[in-house]
Amino acid sequence: MAKVKAIRGMNDILPHETPVWQYLERQVRAVLSSYGYSEIRMPIVEQTDLFKRSIGEVTDIVEKEMYTFEDRNGESLTLRPEGTAGCVRAGEEHGLLFNQAQRFWYQGPMFRYEKPQKGRYRQFHQIGVETFGMSAADIDAEVIMLSARLWKNLGILDAVTLQLNSLGSNENRLKYKEDLVEYLMQFHDRLDDDSQRRLKSNPLRVLDSKNESTQQILRDAPVLADYLDDESREHFSRLTDLLDQAGIHYEINSRLVRGLDYYCKTVFEWVTDKLGAQGTVCAGGRYDGLVQQLGGKATPGVGFAMGIERLVLLLETLNTIPESEKVSFDLYIAAESKEAQSDVMQCGEFLRDQIPGLRIKTHCAGLKNINSKARQTGAKLILLLQKGEAGVVGTLWSEAELIAQVPLSGLPSLVAQQWQLIK
Ligand code: ATP
Ligand code: MG
């Protein structure tokens, strides 16, 4: 019988890969907690309407990327394609948003029916940040600063650039859309097919087009920055001042519009040229109208989401993961002789009691070629037990180098000391 396989574009993350994921997740958590953000966990499935109403009917996600199905009750449900909508829904439902200042983060799988390729999958993972109730540009700056700090801690700051734009208010965008459509209509036949379609449904997205001929036409198109009202302009200049003060470099990209309908004022992306076409590792912006659009009282919001697969790829490409993060344990314990075999488990427990944090793997199989087997595990420290007249004796090795042979009682201090050296 043919074997069942995983669904295309949905990946297993294998044991040799998870240490990098855990390292990345740990770094993100540390940065987020240093800014006082709290974790929120939402369901993976929501009512389809939630995404239609928030993301927008004429976006790539809603038009062609959602995993939507009917449950046994005939209700239309969708696997979440992103986290913001669910976070707003949860915040509203539990009264966490109106008239409050909130900083949340979440992590987990997202689902989009896309063409799978490097850095683009059907199940992928995001860590996202959402803030509510703060309308000044300080919070826009904060979410950017915390992402910059994360890149610095991960050693990838030099490999990413910050692209920044302001979309202004809804009214600003409406006026701009009219003029953009009028301009593009003159060149309708020279636009690529996607852009011709978007011209009708979601004209701002034409700015995203990678098509050479469309790009050429766009060069003389009206620029959104010229349409911003005073408030949006001041907001943006406060943001760039704060980024300047923090020493964060950015490029203003007047074509940056983002795929989702709900953004206003600030939009940004962190982009790398190290991953080919899938170069955006983190993207976000301000969404002041979203809470209201979903039935709540007007509450400003700013957030972003980063793509974990792309960040893992970047860390691997740049080889910035510390060696110590790639192994899942520190010490391997095995018996050197049959008599000592029954002491291995006990010794493991003893050392775990004595040295909190030490990661121990015990040998639970046969004793043949025990020396080379222990080394094949990639262990930095190997402890081999023997039973003598006076009880259990352990020989500690640091890879191929003999450290010392001591009785059981001497092991905690010896192992602890050697562990500090390899850490
Ligand atoms: P793209 O333009 O690459 O399709 P997007 O604008 O659709 O990205 P967002 O909705 O802003 O992406 O999601 C935030 C981040 O999540 C992206 O910058 C990217 O790092 C990651 N991401 C989005 N879609 C995928 C996917 N299908 N596979 C892997 N990562 C993804
Ligand atoms: Mg996309």
Side-chain angles (χ1 to χ4, degrees):
M1 236 193 329
K3 284 189 184 157
V4 178
K5 289 204 168 148
I7 296 164
R8 195 163 114 83
M10 303 203 180
N11 301 312
D12 299 306
I13 299 150
L14 298 174
H16 72 274
E17 299 165 309
T18 48
V20 180
W21 285 64
Q22 290 175 354
Y23 163 68
L24 174 59
E25 287 160 3
R26 213 164 43 243
Q27 295 283 336
V28 180
R29 264 196 221 115
V31 169
L32 287 169
S33 82
S34 79
Y35 284 81
Y37 283 63
S38 319
E39 186 183 2
I40 178 166
R41 302 187 184 191
M42 298 85 67
I44 284 169
V45 187
E46 300 270 0
Q47 289 186 21
T48 302
D49 244 15
L50 175 70
F51 302 115
K52 285 196 178 162
R53 278 169 60 186
S54 57
I55 297 168
E57 297 263 5
V58 283
T59 53
D60 283 352
I61 294 184
V62 173
E63 275 182 342
K64 49 188 190 199
E65 294 176 358
M66 292 205 304
Y67 278 90
T68 297
F69 60 96
E70 278 192 2
D71 72 0
R72 288 169 190 275
N73 251 340
E75 202 176 346
S76 180
L77 305 182
T78 294
L79 298 185
R80 64 182 185 193
E82 52 103 54
T84 305
C87 186
V88 170
R89 198 263 317 131
E92 249 322 279
E93 199 165 326
H94 301 282
L96 305 177
L97 304 187
F98 183 60
N99 248 343
Q100 298 164 72
Q102 297 283 21
R103 291 168 163 89
F104 300 144
W105 69 274
Y106 59 83
Q107 72 172 335
M110 306 293 161
F111 303 84
R112 296 184 194 176
Y113 194 81
E114 302 205 63
K115 195 168 152 226
Q117 54 200 287
K118 183 182 169 199
R120 188 176 294 285
Y121 312 101
R122 290 182 174 173
Q123 172 173 326
F124 62 100
H125 297 77
Q126 287 184 337
I127 296 182
V129 157
E130 315 291 352
T131 71
F132 297 95
M134 292 164 275
S135 53
D138 306 44
I139 191 69
D140 308 49
E142 180 180 282
V143 300
I144 292 174
M145 285 173 193
L146 80 79
S147 51
R149 185 178 295 274
L150 175 65
W151 313 144
K152 197 174 110 205
N153 293 356
L154 290 169
I156 58 173
L157 188 57
D158 290 343
V160 290
T161 8
L162 174 62
Q163 307 232 325
L164 199 59
N165 195 19
S166 176
L167 299 180
S169 67
N170 282 342
E171 296 83 64
N172 300 161
R173 261 194 332 278
L174 273 179
K175 178 77 188 80
Y176 173 68
K177 257 188 222 175
E178 269 172 33
D179 289 4
L180 180 68
V181 170
E182 195 183 307
Y183 169 83
L184 290 174
M185 280 309 278
Q186 307 171 71
F187 308 98
H188 183 272
D189 295 346
R190 282 168 51 202
L191 296 173
D192 60 283
D193 292 349
D194 260 353
S195 295
Q196 289 186 358
R197 201 170 46 82
R198 285 175 176 162
L199 194 53
K200 294 198 193 77
S201 59
N202 192 351
L204 286 189
R205 294 301 308 282
V206 176
L207 301 180
D208 271 350
S209 170
K210 304 257 175 341
N211 180 277
E212 188 48 46
S213 141
T214 303
Q215 279 292 329
Q216 218 161 22
I217 294 166
L218 284 172
R219 249 162 244 158
D220 297 317
V223 177
L224 182 52
D226 298 333
Y227 290 72
L228 301 193
D229 54 26
D230 288 346
E231 198 210 325
S232 299
R233 231 181 268 274
E234 274 157 30
H235 196 271
F236 195 57
S237 99
R238 167 89 181 139
L239 170 61
T240 51
D241 283 351
L242 284 166
L243 295 179
D244 290 338
Q245 282 161 26
I248 295 174
H249 301 288
Y250 51 84
E251 283 171 11
I252 293 180
N253 175 356
S254 58
R255 302 258 175 83
L256 184 67
V257 289
R258 311 275 310 114
L260 317 180
D261 265 4
Y262 51 57
Y263 288 109
C264 67
K265 291 187 178 146
T266 313
V267 287
F268 66 91
E269 287 191 359
W270 286 97
V271 188
T272 179
D273 57 9
K274 307 277 187 294
L275 296 181
Q278 270 54 254
T280 305
V281 293
C282 173
R286 180 169 277 281
Y287 46 83
D288 291 348
L290 179 60
V291 175
Q292 218 172 3
Q293 202 172 307
L294 289 174
K297 295 208 184 85
T299 304
V302 179
F304 68 73
M306 53 186 129
I308 302 305
E309 281 82 357
R310 291 185 195 177
L311 282 168
V312 165
L313 276 170
L314 187 57
L315 292 175
E316 280 166 351
T317 307
L318 299 174
N319 206 9
T320 55
I321 306 149
E323 278 306 310
S324 58
E325 298 291 341
K326 295 181 189 167
V327 290
S328 60
F329 68 103
D330 309 302
L331 173 71
Y332 198 80
I333 309 180
E336 236 173 343
S337 61
K338 223 172 170 180
E339 300 72 54
Q341 204 166 9
S342 59
D343 296 300
V344 168
M345 305 306 282
Q346 260 175 308
C347 179
E349 292 301 298
F350 173 60
L351 288 178
R352 288 184 188 102
D353 284 340
Q354 297 293 318
I355 315 174
L358 178 69
R359 300 171 302 172
I360 302 172
K361 216 185 234 190
T362 53
H363 184 79
C364 292
L367 292 183
K368 229 167 123 192
N369 299 328
I370 193 63
N371 268 297
S372 61
K373 270 190 197 143
R375 286 194 173 88
Q376 276 162 18
T377 64
K380 284 270 183 285
L381 293 174
I382 296 168
L383 179 62
L384 297 175
L385 302 183
Q386 273 170 323
K387 207 156 197 164
E389 300 272 288
V392 178
V393 176
T395 311
L396 187 66
W397 296 81
S398 174
E399 287 167 282
E401 194 187 331
L402 175 71
I403 307 290
Q405 194 172 54
V406 294
L408 197 60
S409 60
L411 280 174
S413 63
L414 177 68
V415 171
Q417 179 203 9
Q418 291 301 316
W419 182 41
Q420 288 310 320
L421 291 177
I422 60 157
K423 262 212 278 197

